Amino acid sequence: MTWKLWPAVLSIFLSPLVQAAPDATLTVYSERKEHLIKPVFDAYTKKTGVKVKYLTDNTATLIQRIKAEGTKSPADILLTVDAGNLWSAAQAGIFEEVKSESLQKNVPAHLRDPGNRWFGLSQRARTIVYNPTKVKPEQIKSFENLADPSFKKRLCLRSAKKVYNQSLVAMLVAEKGEAPVEKVVKGWVQNLAAPVFQDDTAVIDAVAAGQCDVGVVNTYYFGRALEKNPKLSAKLFFPAKEAGGVHVNVSGAGVLKNAPHKAEAVKFLEWLAGPEAQGQFAQLNHEYPVNPAVSPSSFVQSWGKFDAMLINMAKAGELQEKAIKLMDRAGYN
Ligand code: FE
């Protein structure tokens, strides 16, 4: 756990229009790591004079901490990854409902809570990675097709314990229903080329090394691997719209019920979702902006375009328990 505070060193250059109250300091509790948030927080301080203090830890611990601190909590915002986590925070009752026209406009409806308690701030796809020397993209088609016997001993997956896979299966259940998805997950398990991996990077490495031909990963891990090795023997495959489209997820945030600076916190979220910050916020982790007016980096664009599944991300939380039980029944652990 780390605490950091960056003072507004450049406040003398600020225009009076954007200058905040001199004592304004926001506190963000974040599951996102320092290097993915500090540059954007710094940019906000530079622009507005508002200092941004933060503490990083995993979401479950942060939720517990916020609850334990109660009305004395210094935290204004909880920032985390995966809609499953955002949904859990909303269920824990720690988020304040935020009515903001700008957030409604800049964050597409499927990437924010229908109850306005949390908002996606960057978007990642959880999609299929393949080794182009072992499989042709036209043979892949969809998540369901990875259950086909033609992929026997060719598939690599990360552990079902990770919220990313729970959200993926939950969203597939939202789209297709429980019974057909259970059949698909059983098929995946039968097609595994190796025991499940502990992280996405290991899945990409296994695909690139030829240990398996296909895997399922978040796009930014692919970006990191490709940055390290531009000759990586792995490519991303995006299921077509007719095949259900691409499963997306978000990093996102909500304003806390006991936030000492609610109005400032809303302004900060609005800025993060706005055209000025979206490019940088997404680019720091090779992600896609949520704001449709902002383009992804050219590096991210080079992986190709896709049609996203447009079901509301809250389903990832609502159906999480069902998804966990389904994966367990299917022998995916
Ligand atoms: Fe991640």
Side-chain angles (χ1 to χ4, degrees):
M1 191 187 301
T2 46
W3 270 109
K4 293 286 163 65
L5 176 64
W6 276 273
V9 283
L10 293 172
S11 55
I12 49 165
F13 299 114
L14 296 170
S15 102
L17 272 177
V18 293
Q19 195 151 20
D23 63 341
T25 297
L26 284 171
T27 300
V28 179
Y29 283 6
S30 169
E31 170 147 355
R32 297 212 96 183
K33 296 201 176 73
E34 180 177 11
H35 67 283
L36 300 179
I37 51 176
K38 184 182 178 298
V40 232
F41 291 2
D42 284 351
Y44 190 67
T45 302
K46 192 171 165 185
K47 185 183 164 70
T48 62
V50 175
K51 296 166 203 157
V52 185
K53 206 175 163 184
Y54 59 86
L55 178 152
T56 59
D57 212 324
N58 67 61
T59 301
T61 306
L62 292 173
I63 292 174
Q64 280 318 312
R65 186 183 176 112
I66 290 161
K67 282 167 89 173
E69 288 170 342
T71 53
K72 292 193 177 67
S73 179
D76 294 296
I77 286 168
L78 174 69
L79 176 68
T80 185
V81 292
D82 203 285
N85 284 332
L86 289 159
W87 185 86
S88 298
Q91 284 303 102
I94 59 172
F95 282 148
E96 175 86 3
E97 196 182 322
V98 170
K99 290 206 174 97
S100 156
E101 257 178 52
S102 137
L103 284 168
Q104 303 271 336
K105 184 182 129 234
N106 287 329
V107 183
H110 67 290
L111 303 179
R112 53 179 155 86
D113 175 33
N116 295 313
R117 293 162 300 179
W118 52 263
F119 301 85
L121 293 172
S122 66
Q123 193 179 180
R124 64 280 298 274
R126 189 157 189 79
T127 194
I128 299 163
V129 62
Y130 69 97
N131 185 322
T133 69
K134 305 275 209 119
V135 60
K136 290 191 176 69
E138 55 271 24
Q139 295 170 318
I140 300 171
K141 296 186 187 81
S142 64
F143 282 115
E144 291 98 304
N145 202 39
L146 297 184
D148 189 89
S150 61
F151 282 104
K152 186 126 198 124
K153 294 207 167 130
R154 297 171 75 193
L155 173 67
C156 278
L157 291 176
R158 182 180 187 162
S159 161
K161 306 271 180 303
K162 182 70 187 179
V163 68
Y164 298 161
N165 284 328
Q166 296 167 1
S167 291
L168 168 67
V169 171
M171 293 304 278
L172 291 173
V173 169
E175 192 196 9
K176 301 168 206 301
E178 217 173 333
V181 175
E182 185 165 341
K183 224 175 123 191
V184 168
V185 176
K186 271 186 188 146
W188 292 351
V189 173
Q190 276 158 14
N191 285 344
L192 288 179
V196 293
F197 292 78
Q198 287 317 304
D199 59 67
D200 281 22
T201 302
V203 171
I204 296 168
D205 290 346
V207 168
Q211 187 184 357
C212 34
D213 301 352
V214 284
V216 175
V217 295
N218 280 1
T219 43
Y220 57 89
Y221 292 109
F222 176 78
R224 288 179 202 170
L226 196 61
E227 204 173 36
K228 255 172 86 192
N229 175 15
K231 291 191 175 130
L232 189 77
S233 190
K235 284 190 160 147
L236 289 179
F237 178 84
F238 297 113
K241 205 174 182 174
E242 313 78 65
V246 172
H247 166 73
V248 292
N249 207 320
V250 290
S251 83
V255 174
L256 297 163
K257 238 174 206 159
N258 290 320
H261 313 94
K262 268 183 202 162
E264 279 301 338
V266 173
K267 273 191 218 160
F268 183 47
L269 287 195
E270 289 176 342
W271 181 80
L272 283 172
E276 209 183 319
Q278 273 287 288
Q280 188 190 16
F281 190 71
Q283 190 165 356
L284 283 167
N285 193 31
H286 301 312
E287 285 183 87
Y288 300 85
V290 288
N291 187 328
V294 180
S295 302
S297 70
S298 51
F299 180 54
V300 168
Q301 278 187 49
S302 72
W303 310 336
K305 282 192 171 164
F306 62 80
D307 285 306
M309 198 194 278
L310 296 175
I311 299 171
N312 191 286
M313 285 310 318
K315 286 276 174 220
E318 285 166 32
L319 295 168
Q320 187 184 76
E321 210 184 306
K322 249 187 194 157
I324 292 170
K325 286 182 179 156
L326 183 157
M327 290 190 285
D328 190 50
R329 287 195 303 272
Y332 178 18
N333 42 42

